[in-house]
Protein backbone atom coordinates (compact mmCIF):
# COMPACT_ATOMS: atom_id res chain seq x y z
CA UNK A 1 0.00 0.00 0.00
CA UNK A 2 1.33 3.42 -0.95
CA UNK A 3 1.89 5.73 2.00
CA UNK A 4 -0.08 8.59 0.47
CA UNK A 5 -2.75 7.95 -2.14
CA UNK A 6 -4.62 10.33 -4.39
CA UNK A 7 -6.93 9.81 -7.34
CA UNK A 8 -4.81 10.76 -10.34
CA UNK A 9 -7.80 12.17 -12.22
CA UNK A 10 -8.07 14.02 -14.41
CA UNK A 11 -10.82 15.84 -12.56
CA UNK A 12 -12.83 18.36 -14.55
CA UNK A 13 -15.23 20.90 -13.05
CA UNK A 14 -17.02 23.86 -14.62
CA UNK A 15 -15.99 27.39 -13.71
CA UNK A 16 -17.65 28.51 -10.48
CA UNK A 17 -18.17 24.98 -9.16
CA UNK A 18 -16.61 23.38 -6.09
CA UNK A 19 -13.63 21.12 -6.79
CA UNK A 20 -13.05 18.36 -4.24
CA UNK A 21 -9.64 16.70 -4.04
CA UNK A 22 -9.05 13.71 -1.79
CA UNK A 23 -6.06 12.06 -0.17
CA UNK A 24 -5.63 9.08 2.16
CA UNK A 25 -2.52 8.13 4.13
CA UNK A 26 -1.40 4.93 5.78
CA UNK A 27 0.87 6.00 8.67
CA UNK A 28 -1.13 6.80 11.82
CA UNK A 29 1.93 8.67 13.10
CA UNK A 30 1.36 11.31 10.45
CA UNK A 31 1.32 14.69 12.05
CA UNK A 32 1.09 17.39 9.42
CA UNK A 33 -0.68 17.55 6.10
CA UNK A 34 0.00 19.79 3.16
CA UNK A 35 -1.50 20.63 -0.20
CA UNK A 36 0.81 21.81 -2.95
CA UNK A 37 -0.25 23.16 -6.32
CA UNK A 38 1.90 22.51 -9.37
CA UNK A 39 1.30 24.17 -12.70
CA UNK A 40 2.51 22.33 -15.77
CA UNK A 41 6.27 22.68 -16.14
CA UNK A 42 6.63 24.52 -12.83
CA UNK A 43 7.70 23.62 -9.32
CA UNK A 44 5.24 22.80 -6.50
CA UNK A 45 4.06 25.65 -4.29
CA UNK A 46 2.40 25.33 -0.89
CA UNK A 47 -1.23 26.47 -0.75
CA UNK A 48 -2.55 24.96 2.51
CA UNK A 49 -1.45 23.02 5.55
CA UNK A 50 -3.46 21.50 8.37
CA UNK A 51 -2.44 19.87 11.64
CA UNK A 52 -5.70 19.36 13.57
CA UNK A 53 -8.90 17.47 12.87
CA UNK A 54 -11.60 19.55 11.25
CA UNK A 55 -11.66 22.26 8.65
CA UNK A 56 -9.24 25.06 7.88
CA UNK A 57 -10.27 27.81 5.50
CA UNK A 58 -8.09 30.21 3.54
CA UNK A 59 -9.94 32.28 0.97
CA UNK A 60 -11.50 29.95 -1.59
CA UNK A 61 -9.60 26.96 -0.22
CA UNK A 62 -10.69 24.67 2.62
CA UNK A 63 -8.60 21.80 3.92
CA UNK A 64 -10.38 19.05 5.85
CA UNK A 65 -8.65 16.51 8.07
CA UNK A 66 -10.05 13.34 9.63
CA UNK A 67 -7.27 11.49 11.43
CA UNK A 68 -9.54 8.61 12.51
CA UNK A 69 -10.28 7.87 8.85
CA UNK A 70 -6.75 8.86 7.75
CA UNK A 71 -8.23 11.19 5.21
CA UNK A 72 -7.46 14.74 4.14
CA UNK A 73 -9.21 16.73 1.46
CA UNK A 74 -9.00 20.07 -0.30
CA UNK A 75 -12.08 21.96 -1.44
CA UNK A 76 -11.77 24.80 -3.93
CA UNK A 77 -14.86 27.01 -4.04
CA UNK A 78 -15.78 29.16 -7.02
CA UNK A 79 -13.23 27.32 -9.15
CA UNK A 80 -11.44 29.42 -11.77
CA UNK A 81 -9.59 28.35 -14.94
CA UNK A 82 -6.42 29.58 -13.20
CA UNK A 83 -6.92 26.80 -10.63
CA UNK A 84 -6.21 24.23 -13.36
CA UNK A 85 -3.10 22.44 -12.12
CA UNK A 86 -1.93 19.26 -10.43
CA UNK A 87 -2.58 19.19 -6.68
CA UNK A 88 -0.16 17.21 -4.54
CA UNK A 89 -1.01 15.94 -1.09
CA UNK A 90 1.96 15.61 1.27
CA UNK A 91 2.26 14.15 4.75
CA UNK A 92 4.86 14.55 7.48
CA UNK A 93 5.31 11.80 10.03
CA UNK A 94 5.95 12.82 13.65
CA UNK A 95 9.63 12.69 14.50
CA UNK A 96 10.70 12.05 10.94
CA UNK A 97 13.60 14.05 9.57
CA UNK A 98 12.66 12.93 6.08
CA UNK A 99 10.15 15.68 5.83
CA UNK A 100 7.39 15.10 3.34
CA UNK A 101 5.95 12.05 1.62
CA UNK A 102 4.00 13.01 -1.47
CA UNK A 103 1.05 11.47 -3.23
CA UNK A 104 1.09 11.12 -6.99
CA UNK A 105 -1.12 14.16 -7.48
CA UNK A 106 -4.57 14.89 -8.92
CA UNK A 107 -4.80 16.81 -12.17
CA UNK A 108 -7.61 19.39 -12.03
CA UNK A 109 -9.06 21.16 -15.05
CA UNK A 110 -11.54 23.99 -14.58
CA UNK A 111 -13.57 24.47 -17.74
CA UNK A 112 -14.56 28.04 -18.71
CA UNK B 1 15.24 37.00 -2.76
CA UNK B 2 16.23 34.09 -5.05
CA UNK B 3 14.98 31.27 -2.76
CA UNK B 4 16.14 27.91 -4.12
CA UNK B 5 18.22 27.97 -7.30
CA UNK B 6 18.98 24.88 -9.36
CA UNK B 7 21.32 24.51 -12.30
CA UNK B 8 21.10 23.46 -15.06
CA UNK B 9 17.42 23.74 -16.10
CA UNK B 10 17.80 21.21 -18.91
CA UNK B 11 20.36 18.51 -19.62
CA UNK B 12 20.77 15.64 -22.07
CA UNK B 13 23.24 12.91 -21.19
CA UNK B 14 24.39 9.79 -22.92
CA UNK B 15 24.17 6.52 -21.03
CA UNK B 16 27.23 6.13 -18.81
CA UNK B 17 28.06 9.82 -18.59
CA UNK B 18 28.28 11.56 -15.24
CA UNK B 19 27.03 14.92 -14.11
CA UNK B 20 26.29 16.98 -11.03
CA UNK B 21 23.10 18.94 -10.40
CA UNK B 22 23.68 22.02 -8.32
CA UNK B 23 21.33 23.52 -5.75
CA UNK B 24 21.72 26.57 -3.56
CA UNK B 25 19.33 28.30 -1.14
CA UNK B 26 19.60 31.72 0.42
CA UNK B 27 16.96 31.30 3.16
CA UNK B 28 19.37 29.96 5.82
CA UNK B 29 17.44 26.68 5.97
CA UNK B 30 18.98 23.71 7.74
CA UNK B 31 17.25 20.98 5.72
CA UNK B 32 17.66 20.34 2.02
CA UNK B 33 16.24 17.64 -0.25
CA UNK B 34 16.48 16.14 -3.69
CA UNK B 35 13.33 14.72 -5.29
CA UNK B 36 12.62 13.23 -8.66
CA UNK B 37 9.25 13.48 -10.37
CA UNK B 38 8.06 11.01 -12.97
CA UNK B 39 4.66 10.91 -14.66
CA UNK B 40 2.06 9.33 -12.37
CA UNK B 41 4.60 8.86 -9.56
CA UNK B 42 4.46 12.14 -7.69
CA UNK B 43 7.60 13.38 -5.98
CA UNK B 44 9.97 10.72 -4.64
CA UNK B 45 12.74 11.56 -2.20
CA UNK B 46 16.23 10.64 -3.38
CA UNK B 47 18.42 12.03 -0.58
CA UNK B 48 18.03 14.59 2.14
CA UNK B 49 20.27 16.55 4.48
CA UNK B 50 18.85 17.53 7.85
CA UNK B 51 21.77 19.83 8.57
CA UNK B 52 25.17 20.84 7.27
CA UNK B 53 27.50 17.85 7.28
CA UNK B 54 24.80 15.16 7.30
CA UNK B 55 23.10 13.30 4.47
CA UNK B 56 20.68 10.38 4.43
CA UNK B 57 19.06 8.15 1.84
CA UNK B 58 15.48 8.66 0.85
CA UNK B 59 13.11 6.40 -1.04
CA UNK B 60 15.07 6.01 -4.31
CA UNK B 61 18.82 6.61 -3.67
CA UNK B 62 20.33 4.00 -6.00
CA UNK B 63 22.51 5.50 -8.72
CA UNK B 64 22.91 8.84 -6.96
CA UNK B 65 25.30 10.50 -4.54
CA UNK B 66 24.99 13.82 -2.74
CA UNK B 67 27.21 16.38 -1.08
CA UNK B 68 26.14 19.00 1.42
CA UNK B 69 28.96 21.39 0.67
CA UNK B 70 27.87 23.98 3.22
CA UNK B 71 24.61 25.25 4.63
CA UNK B 72 23.64 26.85 1.33
CA UNK B 73 24.55 24.18 -1.19
CA UNK B 74 23.41 20.59 -1.77
CA UNK B 75 24.51 18.83 -4.94
CA UNK B 76 23.28 15.63 -6.58
CA UNK B 77 25.66 13.51 -8.65
CA UNK B 78 24.91 10.83 -11.19
CA UNK B 79 28.09 8.77 -11.60
CA UNK B 80 26.96 6.68 -14.57
CA UNK B 81 23.68 7.88 -16.01
CA UNK B 82 21.04 5.37 -17.09
CA UNK B 83 17.87 5.89 -19.15
CA UNK B 84 15.84 5.06 -16.01
CA UNK B 85 17.18 8.30 -14.51
CA UNK B 86 15.36 10.37 -17.11
CA UNK B 87 13.17 12.55 -14.94
CA UNK B 88 12.55 16.02 -13.57
CA UNK B 89 14.67 16.70 -10.51
CA UNK B 90 13.66 19.16 -7.80
CA UNK B 91 15.77 20.50 -5.00
CA UNK B 92 13.97 21.82 -1.93
CA UNK B 93 14.83 23.37 1.39
CA UNK B 94 12.94 23.85 4.64
CA UNK B 95 13.31 25.23 8.15
CA UNK B 96 10.03 24.09 9.67
CA UNK B 97 7.47 21.99 7.86
CA UNK B 98 7.07 24.07 4.71
CA UNK B 99 9.32 23.04 1.82
CA UNK B 100 10.38 25.53 -0.85
CA UNK B 101 11.24 24.13 -4.25
CA UNK B 102 13.69 25.13 -6.96
CA UNK B 103 12.62 25.49 -10.58
CA UNK B 104 13.55 21.92 -11.47
CA UNK B 105 16.05 20.26 -13.81
CA UNK B 106 14.70 18.28 -16.75
CA UNK B 107 17.19 15.49 -17.38
CA UNK B 108 17.08 13.15 -20.36
CA UNK B 109 19.42 10.17 -20.60
CA UNK B 110 19.68 8.66 -24.08
Amino acid sequence: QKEVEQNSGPLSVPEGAIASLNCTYSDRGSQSFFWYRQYSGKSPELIMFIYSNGDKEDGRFTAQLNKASQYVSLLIRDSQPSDSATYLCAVKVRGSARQLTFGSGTQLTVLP
Amino acid sequence: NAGVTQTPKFQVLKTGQSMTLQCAQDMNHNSMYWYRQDPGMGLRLIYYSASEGTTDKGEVPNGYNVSRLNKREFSLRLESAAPSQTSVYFCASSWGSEAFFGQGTRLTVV
Side-chain angles (χ1 to χ4, degrees):
Chain A
Q1 180 188 6
K2 290 179 67 175
E3 293 182 53
V4 181
E5 296 209 43
Q6 297 180 252
N7 290 330
S8 60
L11 173 66
S12 295
V13 300
E15 184 174 355
I18 296 175
S20 178
L21 305 163
N22 304 315
C23 174
T24 58
Y25 59 94
S26 60
D27 192 330
R28 287 195 173 273
S30 299
Q31 173 185 39
S32 313
F33 307 87
F34 304 83
W35 284 100
Y36 282 78
R37 177 177 62 200
Q38 186 176 25
Y39 292 115
S40 180
K42 302 295 185 182
S43 58
E45 56 178 340
L46 182 68
I47 54 172
M48 288 284 294
F49 62 88
I50 186 167
Y51 300 144
S52 304
N53 275 330
D55 295 358
K56 180 181 179 182
E57 188 173 317
D58 183 0
R60 295 187 296 111
F61 298 95
T62 299
Q64 299 175 317
L65 175 62
N66 184 327
K67 289 187 177 181
S69 300
Q70 295 176 245
Y71 176 91
V72 59
S73 65
L74 180 70
L75 301 178
I76 306 174
R77 291 183 301 281
D78 188 23
S79 295
Q80 301 297 309
S82 59
D83 294 326
S84 298
T86 296
Y87 290 80
L88 298 164
C89 173
V91 170
K92 184 178 190 300
V93 175
R94 183 185 305 117
S96 169
R98 291 180 54 175
Q99 193 66 10
L100 302 171
T101 300
F102 285 85
S104 56
T106 299
Q107 184 180 344
L108 172 67
T109 300
V110 181
L111 304 170
Chain B
N1 188 346
V4 180
T5 303
Q6 289 181 235
T7 55
K9 288 188 171 60
F10 300 94
Q11 184 71 49
V12 179
L13 289 178
K14 293 182 179 179
T15 298
Q17 286 185 317
S18 62
M19 79 161 295
T20 300
L21 280 63
Q22 306 287 352
C23 176
Q25 53 93 7
D26 62 3
M27 294 175 283
N28 203 35
H29 289 165
N30 284 326
S31 301
M32 297 186 73
Y33 313 85
W34 277 103
Y35 291 91
R36 61 177 289 174
Q37 187 173 37
D38 303 294
M41 301 293 290
L43 288 158
R44 292 184 293 168
L45 183 64
I46 304 171
Y47 270 93
Y48 66 101
S49 171
S51 62
E52 185 179 352
T54 67
T55 61
D56 287 283
K57 295 178 180 179
E59 183 183 353
V60 287
N62 291 344
Y64 306 95
N65 285 301
V66 291
S67 295
R68 183 73 183 268
L69 304 170
N70 48 54
K71 192 170 187 178
R72 288 187 66 246
E73 298 173 286
F74 189 38
S75 62
L76 178 71
R77 182 161 178 84
L78 286 71
E79 291 291 351
S80 178
S84 60
Q85 294 178 305
T86 294
S87 188
V88 179
Y89 291 83
F90 287 101
C91 177
S93 72
S94 72
W95 178 75
S97 292
E98 180 178 358
F100 296 85
F101 287 84
Q103 318 95 302
T105 297
R106 188 172 296 274
L107 175 67
T108 302
V109 182
V110 298

